[in-house]
Amino acid sequence: MVGRRTVIIGAGVVGAAIADELSALGWTDIVVVDQGDFPATGGSTSHAPGVVFQANGSKAMTDLARYTVEKFVALEHQGESCFIQVGGLEVATTPERMAEVHRRHGWLTSWGVEAEVVDADRCVELHPLLDRDRILGGLHCPTDGLAKALAAVEAQIERAKSRGVRLLPRHEVTDITVEDGKVVGVVTNHGEIPADIVVCCAGIWGPKVAALAGVYLPLTPLAHQLAWTGTVPALAGQTEEAVRPVLRHQDADLYYRDRYDQLAVGYYGHRPMPIDAHDLLPVEEAEVMPSVLEFTPEDFEPAWEETNLLLPQTAEAKIEEGINGVFSFTTDGMPLLGESKDVSGFWVAEAVWVTHSAGVGRAMAEWLANGYCESFDLHECDVNRFEDFQLVPEYVLERDCQNFVEVYDILHPLQPMDSPRAIRTSPFYLRQQELDAFFLPATGWERPHWYDANKGLLEHYQVPQPNDWAARYWSPIAGAEAQATREGVAMYDMTALKRLMVTGSGATAFLQRLTTGNIDKSIGSVTYTLLLNADGGIRSDVTIARLGKNRYQVGANGALDTDWFERFLPQDGSVAVTDITPGTCCIGLWGPKAREVLSQLTDADLTNTGLKYFRAAEINVGNVPVTAMRLSYVGELGWELYTTADLGLRLWDTIWQAGQDHGIIAAGRGAFNSLRLEKGYRSFGTDMTFEHDPYEAGVGFAVKLDKGDFIGRDALLRRKENQTRTLACLTIDNPEDVVAGKEPVFAGDRAVGYVTSAAYGYTIGKGIAYAWLPLEVASPGTEVEIGYFGKRISAVVTAEPLFDPKMTRLRG
Ligand SMILES: Cc1cc2nc3c(=O)[nH]c(=O)nc-3n(C[C@H](O)[C@H](O)[C@H](O)COP(=O)(O)OP(=O)(O)OC[C@H]3O[C@@H](n4cnc5c(N)ncnc54)[C@H](O)[C@@H]3O)c2cc1C
């Protein structure tokens, strides 16, 4: 097999990794082109100091980094390894950072990377230049270290060349030829190269190269300061390139590495310095290289002052060289990977650090060769994950600059960016503001987490106080709203969830092929089902309501679902997929008194026989035509009520008014999260992702193997028989011990899994944490511990759901 004709644009560390990995999978008809000389092309890789820290809140990013470390350790160039495994040390100079060190240690433990929290003495032992009195301790990860980026580029390209891949340096891509929405080749300054697949690995030039294909790439090149000292007298005579761990001092936005008797100092504390990809200089015009801008010493002054304090012996040295080196930032800090939804055959692997490069190479190669990536869960990295508003250059620039500013900050999982805010607002926004909602953004939507207007509920309901970290972006009011929902009736704004309309004569067959469930049921049926990748991994969970013979409303998770559907649309035009999210809205009306409220407003039969659980009907609520679906993510009687955006405010007011005599409240996402975990309802992206199959995730009930073929079915048959882990429900007795997600779970001293979602269950009176665990420790009654900021929290595996297992409330 030679694979498809492939052109990789860019011979940096990303392009090289893809050429190596893809050729290893048998694709050899590959040309790598680069506008610069080889191997120092002038891109970001040419001057990267190669510092590799694997700790990351994203499991996928740590997995990609670990793969890179393991590959580079074994990869040789001119007889030497491409990785110097000196370890990594992140020091804390404040109590907040020390707590963060514990949290980051928890991530590494969760994702299976050995690391240790060490005290200040041990930090100094590891890195003797440190001032013992300035630090409180640190995180030591022995497998971190220094990637020799250029050596790795050469080694990977050499290997690829030995398999038949061609490298063309000094070939600038000046155009990309697209015919009928498909790439057919690239034009270079030395002629054309036909291609079925073009992979854009152009780094900071990515937006410019993508534009040649008519694709907008949401990333911003930003300059970042990197300086080198002269000889540090205390290091004089060091003959090895590096002996001390790579060092991070995140309280001051700094990192360090050895270079023989000198140190490199990297700095993120300066003002953001974005540059337009189109303004980067051509190779021959750039003084040093196109990705290197002139050093601005005044921006670096605080970095050097702080360095002299942290590493006092550096005061005897001077900064001798410095650059403002440019690399890519994105709106959410994650890479951009995959095939463009706009141009078939145009793939990108952009905004990738050296740290993750080889992992990304592997991931892209699998994805290209097999149609899916089995080694990594890429849902957070997919280039098609963005909503339209996230592809507006003004938004991209602001967010990317903010991500640069926050790159080393301690960020709470719920912490929003201050700006831009209120980009998307539901029709209920005005009323929510009147009720003093506390909003947090969800894919740009302002979504209430609780309403201060509900403060009075605290006189009726006990709400325990969680620990300080869990108490951020939280209010006891959320706990009261949860309890009030279980006892009375509440309105939840569900507008932020993605809604697609799938229509046409081919719609039924189309959905049957894409989903695991049987959706070919009577009009009015609602089905909870899954989208799978070809390897049986969960792509998404969706709720499909059949509203007509050829008309289905799909409750989905995000832009990746739209993209997935569109990729499988039949050529004959028999199916149309429309994103109706922006033009519609939804209120979840839930609680034991929901029927009393709604029945005042409609002639429709709302009884258990009239509109059964998991059935939908078009009804009128007051003056408002509504699609009512009898479902509830919070586990109470009630309906999701959908209408068009223009009628949303009217719908809210109508229900609000009718609910007054029944004590109706508006309730927010804080209550919602707690209620859904009491019911054991999984959330895609948190509890289950591409790497999990339905059986282990506890949603096997949504798979109908006997319905005929569907995407992922064959793989599922194999996976079903080989379960080794499961998504288990843990409960925690101490109400203060509310955890956040991503914490490691221990059986004795052994880290065995990690937490996905967590909340306090106000009805059951216990903390809840869902966690991936090996089967042998997942039986109810098994006692485990959760690592939380360095302490151990006792938890017990508990049979689920924790609330109303007989479903009497939902069916009531
Ligand atoms: C100062 C600095 C310090 C850094 N430190 C670290 C670190 O310590 N650890 C870490 O993990 N990461 C670090 N990074 C980030 C890292 O260097 C980059 O993310 C990474 O090198 C990007 O690799 P790439 O292959 O995507 O891009 P590049 O290396 O920039 O490669 C892109 C290639 O595309 C070519 N190209 C562009 N346009 C065209 C065209 N039209 N035709 C043909 N060829 C084209 C370019 O010539 C270039 O060779 C640092 C970056 C900087 C700037």
Side-chain angles (χ1 to χ4, degrees):
M1 167 173 109
V2 292
R4 303 181 71 194
R5 293 174 307 169
T6 303
V7 173
I8 296 175
I9 304 174
V13 73
V14 177
I18 297 176
D20 179 32
E21 299 278 352
L22 193 52
S23 58
L25 292 185
W27 279 31
T28 50
D29 192 351
I30 299 175
V31 186
V32 183
V33 293
D34 201 293
Q35 66 194 6
D37 294 317
F38 188 78
T41 59
S44 307
T45 308
S46 310
H47 51 77
V51 172
V52 172
F53 288 91
Q54 295 163 85
N56 200 298
S58 156
K59 178 172 185 291
M61 293 301 266
T62 293
D63 287 346
L64 293 166
R66 181 175 37 205
Y67 184 92
T68 306
V69 168
E70 285 167 5
K71 179 174 180 183
F72 284 4
V73 165
L75 187 68
E76 288 199 353
H77 179 60
Q78 295 177 347
E80 285 187 20
S81 165
C82 293
F83 200 79
I84 311 176
Q85 205 151 34
V86 282
L89 180 64
E90 304 186 346
V91 290
T93 59
T94 59
E96 294 74 27
R97 181 67 62 179
M98 198 60 218
E100 176 73 355
V101 157
H102 280 288
R103 191 166 72 113
R104 295 172 67 80
H105 177 244
W107 293 341
L108 281 173
T109 312
S110 288
W111 315 147
V113 178
E114 289 282 332
E116 196 187 1
V117 175
V118 291
D119 64 15
D121 289 336
R122 177 71 180 134
C123 288
V124 176
E125 233 172 83
L126 289 162
H127 202 299
L129 295 186
L130 283 165
D131 179 355
R132 161 77 183 73
D133 295 337
R134 295 197 75 82
I135 51 175
L136 303 176
L139 172 61
H140 179 225
C141 178
T143 49
D144 286 348
L146 280 170
K148 295 194 196 171
L150 280 184
V153 167
E154 284 196 83
Q156 292 179 98
I157 288 286
E158 284 312 318
R159 233 161 43 179
K161 277 164 80 173
S162 73
R163 300 183 191 116
V165 172
R166 287 188 300 143
L167 170 72
L168 301 177
R170 285 275 170 189
H171 279 59
E172 184 188 355
V173 172
T174 53
D175 203 0
I176 296 171
T177 318
V178 177
E179 283 173 13
D180 296 331
K182 286 174 66 152
V183 288
V184 293
V186 302
V187 181
T188 76
N189 52 352
H190 296 292
E192 289 189 36
I193 311 172
D196 308 308
I197 303 281
V198 171
V199 191
C200 177
C201 306
I204 52 177
W205 291 268
K208 189 176 164 193
V209 170
L212 299 175
V215 170
Y216 176 72
L217 204 60
L219 71 76
T220 306
L222 277 130
H224 148 62
Q225 290 200 303
L226 176 68
W228 299 92
T229 67
T231 297
V232 178
L235 306 184
Q238 182 175 318
T239 51
E240 284 182 66
E241 184 174 346
V243 293
R244 274 160 290 275
V246 293
L247 179 68
R248 268 178 176 170
H249 172 27
Q250 286 158 299
D251 288 318
D253 294 307
L254 284 160
Y255 67 86
Y256 305 89
R257 61 155 286 185
D258 286 10
R259 184 170 70 177
Y260 301 99
D261 58 4
Q262 307 165 336
L263 285 181
V265 186
Y267 187 43
Y268 289 104
H270 52 80
R271 69 201 153 97
M273 304 181 208
I275 171 166
D276 192 304
H278 292 84
D279 295 337
L280 293 163
L281 290 176
V283 178
E284 42 294 320
E285 284 176 34
E287 199 172 311
V288 184
M289 53 176 82
S291 62
V292 168
L293 308 181
E294 198 182 336
F295 188 55
T296 48
E298 63 283 9
D299 288 307
F300 196 72
E301 271 169 26
W304 188 235
E305 277 168 27
E306 184 62 32
T307 298
N308 294 165
L309 294 174
L310 185 79
L311 309 168
Q313 285 151 307
T314 57
E316 294 163 37
K318 282 202 177 70
I319 290 295
E320 291 199 343
E321 308 160 45
I323 57 169
N324 288 2
V326 187
F327 71 111
S328 308
F329 280 77
T330 57
T331 55
D332 55 8
M334 300 296 282
L336 307 173
L337 308 181
E339 185 184 23
S340 159
K341 65 180 163 54
D342 301 318
V343 177
S344 170
F346 185 74
W347 291 67
V348 303
E350 288 283 342
V352 178
W353 289 23
V354 173
T355 302
H356 311 104
S357 59
V360 164
R362 176 75 202 174
M364 292 289 293
E366 286 180 7
W367 200 349
L368 279 156
N370 307 330
Y372 60 89
C373 169
E374 65 182 358
S375 300
F376 305 96
D377 160 30
L378 297 180
H379 83 276
E380 299 164 298
C381 306
D382 194 309
V383 66
N384 300 308
R385 65 186 177 273
F386 302 105
E387 295 289 326
D388 287 348
F389 79 92
Q390 294 169 314
L391 297 172
V392 173
E394 199 176 309
Y395 175 89
V396 173
L397 178 64
E398 184 173 2
R399 289 289 300 235
D400 291 357
C401 288
Q402 189 60 23
N403 263 323
F404 174 88
V405 170
E406 292 180 352
V407 71
Y408 281 173
D409 286 2
I410 300 168
L411 299 173
H412 190 278
L414 290 176
Q415 183 173 330
M417 283 200 182
D418 292 339
S419 172
R421 287 291 299 270
I423 294 183
R424 307 170 96 183
T425 53
S426 81
F428 324 130
Y429 187 54
L430 281 178
R431 294 293 179 263
Q432 294 165 342
Q433 285 178 312
E434 286 163 14
L435 295 170
D436 291 329
F438 176 82
F439 294 98
L440 288 175
T443 347
W445 294 95
E446 292 296 332
R447 186 165 64 182
H449 267 239
W450 66 84
Y451 294 84
D452 277 339
N454 289 333
K455 222 181 300 174
L457 293 175
L458 291 171
E459 287 166 23
H460 305 284
Y461 298 108
Q462 296 287 322
V463 179
Q465 180 71 18
N467 61 79
D468 289 351
W469 184 252
R472 295 191 197 177
Y473 305 97
W474 174 87
S475 159
I477 297 170
E481 289 174 2
Q483 294 175 72
T485 306
R486 292 260 185 259
E487 288 187 4
V489 55
M491 295 162 73
Y492 288 81
D493 181 356
M494 302 299 290
T495 304
L497 294 183
K498 174 79 91 198
R499 289 171 292 286
L500 304 175
M501 198 59 94
V502 178
T503 52
S505 58
T508 305
F510 171 78
L511 288 172
Q512 288 289 70
R513 166 123 186 81
L514 260 68
T515 67
T516 60
N518 177 24
I519 52 89
D520 190 4
K521 296 190 285 206
S522 61
I523 292 170
S525 64
V526 182
T527 311
Y528 173 80
T529 182
L530 306 167
L531 312 181
L532 301 183
N533 283 317
D535 67 350
I538 301 170
R539 267 202 83 83
S540 191
D541 61 338
V542 294
T543 305
I544 302 185
R546 187 171 204 174
L547 300 180
K549 182 166 182 286
N550 294 321
R551 193 161 64 93
Y552 296 87
Q553 184 172 320
V554 180
N557 281 300
L560 284 186
D561 296 331
T562 323
D563 176 48
W564 188 247
F565 277 13
E566 285 174 351
R567 280 177 194 272
F568 290 94
L569 281 177
Q571 296 294 312
D572 61 6
S574 61
V575 183
V577 174
T578 316
D579 184 350
I580 58 165
T581 319
T584 55
C585 57
C586 178
I587 295 173
L589 180 70
W590 294 314
K593 296 185 183 164
R595 188 179 276 130
E596 289 168 37
V597 174
L598 197 60
S599 55
Q600 297 172 80
L601 300 169
T602 181
D603 293 338
D605 182 356
L606 298 177
T607 61
N608 282 336
T609 41
L611 185 52
K612 288 187 193 144
Y613 182 54
F614 262 77
R615 297 287 301 177
E618 319 267 5
I619 66 172
N620 295 321
V621 175
N623 288 337
V624 183
V626 155
T627 303
M629 294 187 202
R630 172 94 188 266
L631 350 149
S632 162
Y633 216 50
V634 303
E636 293 296 333
L637 170 69
W639 298 265
E640 290 181 357
L641 303 169
Y642 296 88
T643 192
T644 49
D646 54 339
L647 295 166
L649 191 58
R650 178 73 183 208
L651 178 64
W652 179 281
D653 287 344
T654 305
I655 298 172
W656 182 252
Q657 210 100 57
Q660 287 312 303
D661 292 344
H662 306 272
I664 198 165
I665 59 161
R669 195 73 185 174
F672 180 93
N673 280 340
S674 162
L675 297 170
R676 79 138 177 119
L677 284 180
E678 286 184 332
K679 276 301 290 175
Y681 292 142
R682 276 73 170 143
S683 171
F684 175 80
T686 313
D687 300 315
M688 51 194 191
T689 68
F690 287 9
E691 62 185 314
H692 306 118
D693 72 50
Y695 301 109
E696 57 194 9
V699 287
F701 65 86
V703 179
K704 304 291 178 231
L705 287 171
D706 54 2
K707 78 159 188 181
D709 199 20
F710 56 84
I711 295 169
R713 184 176 182 276
D714 292 346
L716 217 49
L717 292 173
R718 287 192 300 275
R719 289 177 74 151
K720 193 175 182 200
E721 303 311 320
N722 296 308
Q723 302 298 303
T724 57
R725 59 185 176 183
T726 190
L727 184 63
C729 175
L730 310 179
T731 53
I732 301 162
D733 282 339
N734 183 353
E736 205 191 308
D737 289 339
V738 176
V739 301
K742 305 191 175 183
E743 295 87 358
V745 179
F746 296 90
D749 281 340
R750 209 162 48 98
V752 290
Y754 61 90
V755 173
T756 57
S757 304
Y760 191 75
Y762 298 100
T763 326
I764 62 156
K766 282 180 197 288
I768 308 168
Y770 271 79
W772 280 101
L773 292 179
L775 286 179
E776 62 271 19
V777 292
S779 351
T782 309
E783 291 183 3
V784 293
E785 288 182 318
I786 299 173
Y788 189 62
F789 288 98
K791 78 172 203 177
R792 294 284 181 97
I793 289 176
S794 302
V796 59
V797 180
T798 307
E800 57 162 337
L802 301 167
F803 178 75
D804 189 23
K806 296 215 168 99
M807 309 278 281
T808 48
R809 318 269 297 197
L810 278 163
R811 296 180 193 280

